[in-house]
Amino acid sequence: MSYEIKTGKKQEAPILWTGDFYNEGTGSGDIFDTLKEECGVFGVFGHPEAASMSYYGLHALQHRGEESAGICVADGRDFNYHRGMGLVKEVFDKDKIASLVGDMSIGHVRYSTSGDSRLTNAQPLVFKYRDGDLAIATNGNIVNEPLIRKQLEQGGSIFQTTSDTEVLAHLIARSQKDFVEATKDALSQLVGGFAFLLMTNDKLIVASDTHGLRPLVMGRLGEAYVFASESCALEVIGAELVRDIEPGELLVLDQNGFREDRFAEPKRKALCAMEYIYFARPDSDLNGSNLHSARKRMGSRMALEAFVDADIVTGVPDSSISAAIGYAEQTGIPYELGLIKNKYTGRTFIQPSQELREQGVKMKLSAVRRVVEGQRVVMIDDSIVRGTTSRRIVNLLREAGALEVHVRITSPPFKNPCFYGIDTPDRRELIASYKTIAEMCEEINADSLAFLSPEGLIQSIGGYNSDDYKGGLCLSCFDNDYPTQVDFGGEEKDGCSC
């Protein structure tokens, strides 16, 4: 079953937005209200150029967070670290990397969905405690963090950041057990989706939540071990992908070697489906499935579920290009580059007039008039959040002369907030939670609108080869079926612990 509506009419006048800012009312720092990447982590154990490896690895993960970046290295005795606001290339230069000496490192790129946007929240977070130094980098969200923080503060803990990652350090520090056992106990108290890298002066610990909600992979580079949020970061340094970190798994790397352990038994596997739909790079592999290939299958399945006769197919750059190719191949309708993204514009546009605000959108994304003019266009996109993005892009195509614009979304309707590390608005702001598909179609100014079915999504990703529930995916943003407890009597949070 697909989710589809055809209005049977054309919208003539473009629906524009008003306000002093492009992003006014969207709760976003961008003119487009797309979902925001979570964060990215990268770790190295046993390589003399650990800092350089982390630098290149974080470059490959830059799409997961553009707000801040940091690297911490250990040489067996001391920590050296550097963090800063901005892109990886802005935070680090040759001299800074040269100053980070050690054969063990963890790095982080951040997009904050919880915690203030300030340097004190930039990761890795670094602490002093009774056994020496401790650094933590994470991707994800601790749902019960407010409850744990409240209990810790009542017990005398003083927090230095507003990042909920800090609760893990406090839980470890309060334990009387050795570091590894204290870490296990601390992780077992956390509810949510997370991928952690923890480093002491002589140990690196790697851990994934019990559902595997956030991606984390392991690779090898000679005798060194490498860990990353996505396999594309391994490729850039020439490391070989070994495997995914399993739910509830805890790895310990130190002078005694590599040890596989776990802090809890795995629960039902539920890797975030949005990694496949939108977040991860197309050259990454997750759970044995290549992202580009999976997205092409989504587009192909979309064509089977909601075919529409048209002249060209185009994808919204960048995440929807693969799906658009799949749709075009399945239907035989030519794929064309109808939309171009300018990668070098600023993240926020503030202009004094409505005319210049409209021009700002075209600075970020442009329709190719000679391609779309006089054509019936199938526009492939990965999701609709508030609807403002889709409306703006449809209007761009219409202004460039498209006769019809048929929108196909390669995911089910996005109706529910994420509690595991994606920056999503309140449920009341998600257009699919309060409008019918017919109303959404009219709102975005499209001739027709269709969404990929949950079954089609699971099969496209590869879940039909799996006995796991829902193909081993978390689909809670579509079906409200959360794999963990998300209600803690008002003491819970969504967003991202990064």
Side-chain angles (χ1 to χ4, degrees):
M1 178 182 67
S2 65
Y3 297 79
E4 178 179 13
I5 184 68
K6 295 186 178 181
T7 65
K9 64 177 181 178
K10 296 178 184 177
Q11 304 287 336
E12 296 182 359
I15 303 173
L16 304 177
W17 69 99
T18 60
D20 294 331
F21 305 94
Y22 290 125
N23 57 318
E24 184 172 342
T26 68
S28 170
D30 201 338
I31 57 173
F32 297 118
D33 66 318
T34 51
L35 299 170
K36 296 300 179 183
E37 290 83 347
E38 308 111 333
C39 296
V41 297
F42 191 88
V44 179
F45 181 87
H47 195 288
E49 300 295 331
S52 295
M53 296 298 102
S54 292
Y55 173 79
Y56 291 115
L58 293 179
H59 255 299
L61 298 175
Q62 186 74 85
H63 60 287
R64 300 187 70 88
E66 299 181 355
E67 179 181 280
S68 66
I71 296 173
C72 180
V73 301
D75 60 7
R77 298 182 307 275
D78 301 310
F79 273 8
N80 290 291
Y81 65 93
H82 179 72
R83 300 172 301 187
M85 306 301 291
L87 304 176
V88 175
K89 66 180 181 180
E90 297 167 344
V91 173
F92 295 98
D93 57 26
K94 182 178 180 181
D95 292 337
K96 287 186 175 68
I97 291 297
S99 70
L100 300 176
V101 179
D103 64 357
M104 180 169 54
S105 71
I106 60 174
H108 189 265
V109 287
R110 180 177 189 248
Y111 170 79
S112 67
T113 59
S114 80
D116 297 333
S117 176
R118 59 186 187 185
L119 185 57
T120 55
N121 287 327
Q123 295 191 29
L125 298 182
V126 179
F127 309 92
K128 289 283 188 181
Y129 83 121
R130 65 177 184 276
D131 292 335
D133 298 312
L134 171 63
I136 304 177
T138 186
N139 168 35
N141 181 56
I142 304 169
V143 184
N144 63 336
E145 180 270 344
L147 182 61
I148 296 175
R149 180 183 286 255
K150 182 178 180 180
Q151 293 170 345
L152 288 168
E153 288 176 334
Q154 290 173 344
S157 293
I158 299 174
F159 283 80
Q160 302 299 313
T161 75
T162 57
S163 170
D164 61 6
T165 306
E166 190 177 352
V167 300
L168 179 61
H170 284 267
L171 290 172
I172 292 171
R174 291 167 69 92
S175 175
Q176 299 303 309
K177 298 181 180 179
D178 68 62
F179 177 70
V180 174
E181 292 303 315
T183 301
K184 289 182 185 179
D185 288 349
L187 290 170
S188 67
Q189 298 179 55
L190 308 183
V191 177
F194 49 79
F196 274 111
L197 297 179
L198 301 93
M199 188 174 71
T200 67
N201 302 92
D202 60 359
K203 284 184 176 62
L204 178 65
I205 288 184
V206 182
S208 175
D209 69 82
T210 55
H211 293 277
L213 282 152
R214 300 269 64 87
L216 189 60
V217 298
M218 177 173 70
R220 290 295 301 270
L221 181 61
E223 297 300 314
Y225 289 90
V226 186
F227 303 91
S229 293
E230 293 182 35
S231 64
C232 65
L234 305 181
E235 293 282 347
V236 76
I237 63 168
E240 177 186 2
L241 174 63
V242 176
R243 65 176 178 86
D244 296 271
I245 306 303
E246 295 299 318
E249 189 172 26
L250 183 141
L251 305 179
V252 181
L253 298 93
D254 57 22
Q255 60 184 1
N256 297 319
F258 171 87
R259 176 160 60 94
E260 296 175 328
D261 202 341
R262 58 178 49 255
F263 66 90
E265 289 303 310
K267 299 178 182 178
R268 69 122 163 155
K269 197 166 189 179
L271 177 62
C272 174
M274 289 304 298
E275 291 286 351
Y276 289 95
I277 296 166
Y278 174 64
F279 288 124
R281 269 180 34 170
D283 54 337
S284 287
D285 294 340
L286 293 176
N287 285 338
S289 179
N290 172 255
L291 271 296
H292 168 69
S293 298
R295 288 171 185 163
K296 278 189 66 177
R297 292 193 294 268
M298 292 177 206
S300 177
R301 178 62 180 251
M302 185 81 258
L304 296 174
E305 292 186 359
F307 171 78
V308 61
D309 190 20
D311 300 310
I312 64 171
V313 177
T314 193
V316 178
D318 293 312
S319 59
S320 301
I321 300 300
S322 300
I325 294 171
Y327 190 100
E329 288 182 355
Q330 181 66 45
T331 61
I333 301 172
Y335 167 78
E336 293 286 352
L337 202 63
L339 292 163
I340 300 294
K341 180 180 179 181
N342 184 352
K343 300 178 184 296
Y344 304 103
T345 56
R347 296 179 221 174
T348 305
F349 295 102
I350 304 175
Q351 301 287 354
S353 69
Q354 177 68 20
E355 181 181 356
L356 289 177
R357 282 197 298 272
E358 302 300 338
Q359 185 64 30
V361 175
K362 295 177 181 178
M363 288 172 63
K364 188 78 172 185
L365 191 69
S366 300
V368 184
R369 178 174 294 273
R370 294 298 179 92
V371 172
V372 305
E373 190 172 28
Q375 303 296 304
R376 298 169 299 165
V377 179
V378 179
M379 185 190 96
I380 307 294
D381 205 355
D382 49 65
S383 59
I384 295 181
V385 185
R386 292 178 177 88
T388 53
T389 295
S390 298
R391 182 173 72 241
R392 292 164 185 173
I393 300 173
V394 169
N395 286 338
L396 284 177
L397 291 169
R398 291 197 184 282
E399 291 165 7
L403 295 178
E404 299 175 8
V405 181
H406 301 274
V407 178
R408 295 295 179 266
I409 305 297
T410 54
S411 67
F414 200 109
K415 297 181 178 181
N416 309 291
C418 178
F419 289 86
Y420 307 121
I422 298 176
D423 182 17
T424 54
D426 184 273
R427 181 180 277 108
R428 293 168 295 183
E429 298 180 69
L430 295 166
I431 190 172
S433 71
Y434 62 89
K435 285 186 181 290
T436 66
I437 295 178
E439 291 170 334
M440 293 170 64
C441 184
E442 184 174 359
E443 178 72 17
I444 68 172
N445 201 20
D447 290 280
S448 72
L449 171 65
F451 293 83
L452 186 63
S453 68
E455 298 79 13
L457 176 64
I458 293 170
Q459 291 191 4
S460 298
I461 290 172
Y464 53 84
N465 292 324
S466 171
D467 293 328
D468 293 326
Y469 180 64
K470 296 184 180 180
L473 300 173
C474 175
L475 303 175
S476 57
C477 51
F478 310 125
D479 62 14
N480 204 37
D481 180 16
Y482 295 96
T484 74
Q485 180 183 352
V486 294
D487 183 2
F488 291 88
E491 299 287 347
E492 72 279 332
K493 62 175 286 296
D494 58 9
C496 179
S497 68
C498 309

